[in-house]
Amino acid sequence: MPGDKKDYQDGDSQAQAQAAEPIVGESHEVDPFALRVVEIPNSKWVRRYRSVAFQMVVLAMLSFSGPSMSNAISSLGGGGLATPYTANIASATQYSTSILIAMFGGPIISTVGIPIACMVGALGFPLSGSGFYVNSKYGIQWYLIFAKAVYGITSAFLYVAEASVMISYPEEHRRGFYISIWVIMRNVGSIIAGGISFGLNIARDGYGGVTTNTYLVFLSLECLGLPAAFLLSRTKRVIRSDGWGVPLLPKKTWKQECKLLLLHHMERRTLLLIPIYILTYFGDGVWGTYLSLHFSVRARALHSLVTPLLAVLINPLFGMILDMKRFGPKRKATIAFWVWTIPSAAMLIWVMVNLKWFTTQPDMLRLDYAQPTTGRWFSMWFPYVMYVVTCWMSQTLVYWVLGQFASDVATNARTGGVFRSWETVGQAVSYGINSRVANQFIPFGVYLGLFAVAMPLFWIVLMDLPTESRVLAIVDDDGNEVGHLGKTMNVERGEGNTAREIS
């Protein structure tokens, strides 16, 4: 790495030292931020295969194949169907079945590990596309709801696994960058799928659903996830770019994990964060219904192409704020909070004005970008653009903040599970409301109220962040502390190479 750190190289068999005495025989809890001494293979290809960067690429491939395709279908408005209500019921069912699995994410990840959890998650990817295809072509609604229910169970495994990876794998000064890469791949899938969808539906400037061929394209891309999941390395073998291993705590029993999960849920910080967890994706069901009821088929297809492209361009800039080395965690979080909150508030006010205008128009009006209503279409559409961009900002910021309170995989699987569980509660409620309520002011009113509650509580959590970055401890595989970053003893690990990033 550049600067004041040295990259690991071939042929080194032990850590380099800089004046330190080992901490021996001390009984203590393992530091959840402690870096691990990890064996470094001689082969540069194996090192690259086990690197955090490669793990994030694989996870991005999974996000592309699964959640990204699901997002692309959702961004068509009502799942691309003529009316949004069946799709909303199916999505509400999906997120309802995800809640319990995600809640127990900590014990699950501790038992099966991240690679297997991702494999289980990828198994359900094709169910989502097949459900929409069967419903669109044959009108079989029960299969769509059943497929989404099963997909909800399997996708929860992926949700928790990717949350654990996002928070635990990257170094602190690279976490914003890697989360942005994940956001990019989540949206690149939507961009590709949106381009295909727009091409297939470009002539459809009025009311109705997208062509059935659109779903076949999504279905084929969803089948790529399972092979990608087999490329992941076991967590204990993953090597950070600075040469250290990912923080790990001693493995606990299922009973111990469940007890820790209960205690985690009762913590003040967790209770303060629950509203923001619910808020992050709450807008998906609300905005999907908005698009389906007010825009033409091809306009919705265009939206699914353009909005994720803007998110791809903007989110890395947001990640750069979180990775700035000149400021401490608290200062960076404060800046990012206002960069996200101000446009989010503007978006909610703007859409309320739009909804008032729609009450004065015919129910069958569908705005289109190529008709005389182009200016009106843009003013009605742009708040949705703001939502997509700020939604991914909120995901990036929440993941980054959670990573400031612990860095080991077990703790963050627990934290990530609670996060994704409450996140899916928000999605289930959002889609549930929009499957039954015709008055659009109600779901957007709930959305606005949730925003007003979540923001001040999240701000309280941000004020608890440290003002300076931590000095990280170094531990061996048994959890014994052997020094601190920049002040580390020699460590011998038998055959092979060892981590040797010393500042």
Side-chain angles (χ1 to χ4, degrees):
M1 293 177 60
D4 61 342
K5 298 186 177 181
K6 297 182 284 187
D7 290 331
Y8 50 81
Q9 299 172 355
D10 297 349
D12 290 336
S13 60
Q14 64 179 17
Q16 304 298 318
Q18 286 188 353
E21 291 297 327
I23 301 171
V24 181
E26 185 177 336
S27 177
H28 59 84
E29 287 290 326
V30 179
D31 184 353
F33 292 94
L35 302 174
R36 279 187 314 111
V37 176
V38 63
E39 180 178 316
I40 299 177
N42 290 320
S43 170
K44 67 178 181 180
W45 298 109
V46 177
R47 291 202 305 273
R48 290 173 181 172
Y49 171 70
R50 295 181 182 177
S51 68
V52 171
F54 185 78
Q55 309 308 306
M56 300 300 283
V57 168
V58 174
L59 199 67
M61 292 168 63
L62 286 165
S63 295
F64 167 82
S65 180
S68 184
M69 293 301 107
S70 181
N71 289 348
I73 294 174
S74 296
S75 65
L76 292 173
L81 303 177
T83 59
Y85 303 110
T86 301
N88 286 338
I89 292 172
S91 295
T93 303
Q94 170 194 331
Y95 295 118
S96 297
T97 58
S98 292
I99 293 170
L100 187 61
I101 301 297
M103 184 63 69
F104 286 90
I108 289 172
I109 295 298
S110 179
T111 302
V112 304
I114 287 174
I116 292 178
C118 288
M119 293 174 195
V120 174
L123 281 172
F125 289 172
L127 289 172
S128 179
S130 68
F132 280 105
Y133 174 77
V134 169
N135 186 38
S136 177
K137 188 172 180 65
Y138 303 108
I140 303 177
Q141 296 183 353
W142 71 263
Y143 177 72
L144 171 60
I145 297 171
F146 170 77
K148 295 290 276 186
V150 177
Y151 175 62
I153 295 172
T154 59
S155 63
F157 283 81
L158 177 69
Y159 290 163
V160 178
E162 69 179 4
S164 304
V165 171
M166 291 298 161
I167 303 171
S168 300
Y169 278 24
E171 306 95 304
E172 179 183 338
H173 66 281
R174 289 173 176 259
R175 190 172 289 125
F177 169 75
Y178 279 124
I179 295 174
S180 293
I181 293 298
W182 169 72
V183 169
I184 287 172
M185 287 305 295
R186 270 278 195 124
N187 284 282
V188 163
S190 297
I191 292 169
I192 294 173
I196 295 170
S197 175
F198 182 58
L200 293 172
N201 297 282
I202 194 170
R204 313 188 74 183
D205 60 353
Y207 172 88
V210 301
T211 65
T212 54
N213 289 337
T214 306
Y215 299 113
L216 290 178
V217 175
F218 292 149
L219 181 57
S220 63
L221 294 174
E222 286 170 337
C223 293
L224 301 176
L226 186 58
F230 281 92
L231 298 175
L232 288 167
S233 297
R234 294 174 61 189
T235 301
K236 66 182 297 183
R237 294 181 177 175
V238 174
I239 307 169
R240 286 178 164 181
S241 60
D242 55 14
W244 298 111
V246 175
L248 292 173
L249 293 183
K251 195 169 184 178
K252 297 176 177 62
T253 65
W254 183 270
K255 183 178 180 180
Q256 290 172 321
E257 281 286 352
C258 290
K259 182 179 179 180
L260 288 170
L261 177 63
L262 178 62
L263 293 173
H264 181 83
H265 231 122
M266 296 169 64
E267 289 180 358
R268 168 182 172 272
R269 183 168 59 240
T270 301
L271 296 176
L272 290 173
L273 286 170
I274 286 175
I276 198 68
Y277 291 166
I278 296 174
L279 177 70
T280 52
Y281 278 151
F282 187 86
D284 281 6
V286 178
W287 282 103
T289 303
Y290 176 86
L291 294 177
S292 180
L293 293 178
H294 303 306
F295 294 87
S296 68
V297 174
R298 68 180 183 183
R300 285 148 52 193
L302 179 64
H303 300 165
S304 69
L305 168 64
V306 175
T307 50
L309 180 60
L310 293 174
V312 163
L313 296 175
I314 294 173
N315 200 263
L317 301 177
F318 187 73
M320 289 172 64
I321 297 174
L322 300 174
D323 285 342
M324 290 188 299
K325 294 184 179 181
R326 61 182 296 187
F327 299 130
K330 186 174 181 178
R331 180 74 176 276
K332 291 187 290 188
T334 301
I335 296 171
F337 175 84
W338 290 113
V339 169
W340 162 49
T341 302
I342 292 174
S344 296
M347 171 266 296
L348 286 167
I349 295 171
W350 192 340
V351 75
M352 287 297 185
V353 175
N354 288 353
L355 291 177
K356 177 63 177 176
W357 181 82
F358 278 118
T359 61
T360 65
Q361 305 301 310
D363 290 342
M364 295 301 292
L365 173 68
R366 297 295 183 272
L367 297 177
D368 186 74
Y369 59 86
Q371 294 180 0
T373 57
T374 298
R376 177 67 66 177
W377 160 78
F378 184 83
S379 67
M380 297 294 157
W381 166 65
F382 196 73
Y384 173 66
V385 176
M386 298 173 68
Y387 163 70
V388 172
V389 173
T390 57
C391 172
W392 288 112
M393 284 183 181
S394 71
Q395 285 280 307
T396 303
L397 181 57
V398 170
Y399 275 125
W400 185 87
V401 168
L402 294 178
Q404 300 302 313
F405 295 111
S407 189
D408 70 282
V409 173
T411 302
N412 285 327
R414 208 174 300 126
T415 303
V418 172
F419 171 28
R420 300 311 292 260
S421 178
W422 283 104
E423 176 189 279
T424 53
V425 167
Q427 289 173 296
V429 171
S430 176
Y431 282 105
I433 292 174
N434 283 279
S435 68
R436 304 181 65 86
V437 176
N439 186 342
Q440 283 263 280
F441 282 102
I442 294 176
F444 273 104
V446 173
Y447 189 13
L448 181 59
L450 181 60
F451 178 84
V453 171
M455 290 303 99
L457 299 182
F458 190 40
W459 177 261
I460 294 173
V461 174
L462 297 186
M463 293 302 99
D464 290 338
L465 290 174
T467 56
E468 301 292 339
S469 297
R470 294 175 177 84
V471 176
L472 301 178
I474 312 296
V475 299
D476 59 21
D477 271 356
D478 297 322
N480 300 313
E481 189 171 322
V482 296
H484 293 81
L485 196 62
K487 194 177 181 182
T488 307
M489 64 168 288
N490 286 341
V491 181
E492 183 106 26
R493 297 246 303 125
E495 296 181 1
N497 301 327
T498 58
R500 45 176 215 78
E501 154 69 30
I502 310 295
S503 61

